[in-house]
Amino acid sequence: MEFVSLDGVMEAPGGEPGYAHSGWVMDFFDPGQMAYKLAEVLEAEALVLGRVTYEGFAHKMNRMPKFVASSTLSEVA
């Protein structure tokens, strides 16, 4: 599942610094939706992530197998 607007814009749920129209997803979140997203991620076998998301993930997610797509990440800790 991804966060995609009707016009095809994808972004992190909280937005990205430096983008004029960032953060629109969080305006529509509620506790039920947050619980759903957490359960969805915790049930996954593996994740495909960018560097910034990878570096910000919690302990549970850091133990899961990942496939990181990045042209700037030089070392995976």
Side-chain angles (χ1 to χ4, degrees), residues 1-74:
M1 180 185 267
E2 293 296 334
F3 296 98
V4 182
S5 68
L6 292 176
D7 59 354
V9 175
M10 296 179 74
E11 73 167 311
E16 302 292 344
Y19 290 92
H21 304 291
S22 184
W24 57 269
V25 174
M26 293 308 287
D27 292 341
F28 304 100
F29 262 42
D30 63 35
Q33 190 172 16
M34 294 294 282
Y36 172 81
K37 289 303 296 173
L38 177 60
E40 177 185 64
V41 172
L42 294 178
E43 290 175 12
E45 297 281 330
L47 302 171
V48 177
L49 307 168
R51 180 189 55 83
V52 174
T53 302
Y54 167 76
E55 290 175 346
F57 267 34
H59 179 69
K60 160 67 174 155
M61 294 179 193
N62 284 338
R63 293 183 300 163
M64 299 171 75
K66 295 172 196 68
F67 305 93
V68 181
S70 173
S71 62
T72 61
L73 184 64
S74 59

